[in-house]
Amino acid sequence: MDEGGLDLLRAALAEEPDREMALAVILRALEVVGASERQEWIELAPPGEGREHAESRARDLGIVAGGPTGVPDEWSDWTQQRIAATSSDLAMLDLLAQAGRTRGIRRMAAERRQAMVLRPEAGDDR
């Protein structure tokens, strides 16, 4: 979506009476806008729990984008799931396969790692 479309969406969200729906759109928008733009989207979230959720998601996105450091226990379930589903770092996938918070996260990381190891390289005819 271009900047004009994002401006229209922000304006519509500011007037949206269904705050839960607005929050869902805001959380999705946080994933597509740059890190420097996230705060203005967070401010559109309903005060209290909704805004805290948006702030938490923005922090999670920073962890995912910055190359996670630390241990999985320090990351939210959402962050662990996103890394398990998208990472191409075999060591990170190993770590989540062993120490992910939930069985689903551990399974997802193990399956992604296995698929990456077994996937033939592009152009390999074997």
Side-chain angles (χ1 to χ4, degrees):
M1 185 176 288
D2 65 11
E3 189 59 37
L6 289 172
D7 288 342
L8 289 172
L9 183 57
R10 269 193 302 272
L13 287 171
E15 301 299 322
E16 174 58 53
D18 184 339
R19 300 317 295 159
E20 287 185 32
M21 182 178 1
L23 180 60
V25 174
I26 291 164
L27 294 176
R28 179 65 183 114
L30 291 173
E31 295 184 43
V32 298
V33 300
S36 63
E37 300 172 67
R38 289 184 183 140
Q39 188 58 44
E40 61 189 271
W41 287 89
I42 291 169
E43 291 171 7
L44 292 171
E49 198 171 304
R51 185 146 315 147
E52 290 170 11
H53 190 157
E55 290 169 343
S56 175
R57 179 62 53 85
R59 279 190 303 275
D60 291 344
L61 288 164
I63 291 169
V64 171
T69 59
V71 294
D73 237 18
E74 298 170 351
W75 308 327
S76 70
D77 287 358
W78 185 92
T79 301
Q80 289 186 24
Q81 289 170 341
R82 179 58 64 97
I83 294 168
T86 62
S87 180
S88 57
D89 181 336
L90 295 178
M92 181 61 62
L93 292 171
D94 280 340
L95 180 61
L96 283 173
Q98 295 299 312
R101 187 170 293 120
T102 68
R103 188 176 348 175
I105 291 167
R106 293 188 299 271
R107 183 182 67 245
M108 185 185 310
E111 288 173 357
R112 181 164 174 80
R113 187 194 187 293
Q114 182 177 14
M116 290 179 64
V117 170
L118 296 177
R119 181 180 345 144
E121 294 297 320
D124 189 355
D125 294 87
R126 287 185 270 161

